[in-house]
Amino acid sequence: MLKALLPVLALTTLLPTANAFEFEPSNNSAVTKACLAAIEPGTSVEQALRQNALHTVSKSEVLCNDKPIADFVREYKVDDASNKIINAKFASSNESTETKICIAAATSNTKFQETTERLSSTASLSEIQCNGMTLSKFAKQYNKSFNG
């Protein structure tokens, strides 16, 4: 069993402004490197083990802070949802101005700006509800950079 008690990762501090951990390695072993790589967004446990020449070792034998690497990753990996691409097709249930604005906002900032300039809405943008949500909350589910 590769029991690298990772005092490497023993120095963890919770950042006050983010729900993330900062790890400071105490050694430069392959196991330590694999543990750190595995919690990076976009890297799987298998990739981290392969990159550190540990691909022939069972995942349950690689311990990170006394935990199997898979459990360690489940606990500390930050799900970088902001980088996930969502492909969505919008279908309007009606042709109201508000519906058009909701779809435009979720599509892109440019489309939102064009649509709001083209349509003279009687409703205030702050009052528009899209599928039961505020315009901003709805749009940001699909358009992470929504700034309307």
Side-chain angles (χ1 to χ4, degrees):
M1 176 182 278
L2 291 175
K3 185 173 181 178
L5 283 176
L6 295 179
V8 155
L9 304 177
L11 271 175
T12 61
T13 56
L14 186 57
L15 300 174
T17 57
N19 196 11
F21 290 87
E22 186 177 306
F23 295 99
E24 186 176 314
S26 64
N27 65 44
N28 203 22
S29 73
V31 173
T32 297
K33 289 178 183 178
C35 292
L36 292 173
I39 60 172
E40 290 297 318
T43 303
S44 69
V45 171
E46 292 77 14
Q47 288 171 324
L49 293 174
R50 201 171 24 258
Q51 289 168 355
N52 291 284
L54 296 170
H55 57 281
T56 58
V57 179
S58 168
K59 284 191 266 184
S60 63
E61 293 178 12
V62 178
L63 298 179
C64 306
N65 283 359
D66 286 330
K67 298 176 185 183
I69 192 168
D71 293 344
F72 180 80
V73 167
R74 254 190 305 281
E75 186 172 340
Y76 294 108
K77 187 167 194 156
V78 176
D79 182 22
D80 195 6
S82 63
N83 289 336
K84 290 184 181 174
I85 297 172
I86 298 173
N87 291 319
K89 183 177 182 181
F90 297 101
S92 59
S93 59
N94 61 50
E95 290 298 314
S96 73
T97 299
E98 289 80 4
T99 298
K100 291 175 183 175
I101 290 172
C102 288
I103 292 172
T107 304
S108 73
N109 291 332
T110 303
K111 189 78 168 164
F112 173 71
Q113 186 176 7
E114 290 171 356
T115 303
T116 54
E117 287 173 1
R118 186 171 33 92
L119 301 172
S120 57
S121 175
T122 56
S124 166
L125 293 179
S126 63
E127 295 174 2
I128 294 178
Q129 293 285 304
C130 307
N131 289 351
M133 293 178 256
T134 64
L135 172 65
S136 179
K137 185 174 183 176
F138 175 79
K140 286 181 180 179
Q141 287 185 324
Y142 306 99
N143 174 9
K144 300 292 182 200
S145 65
F146 179 71
N147 61 10

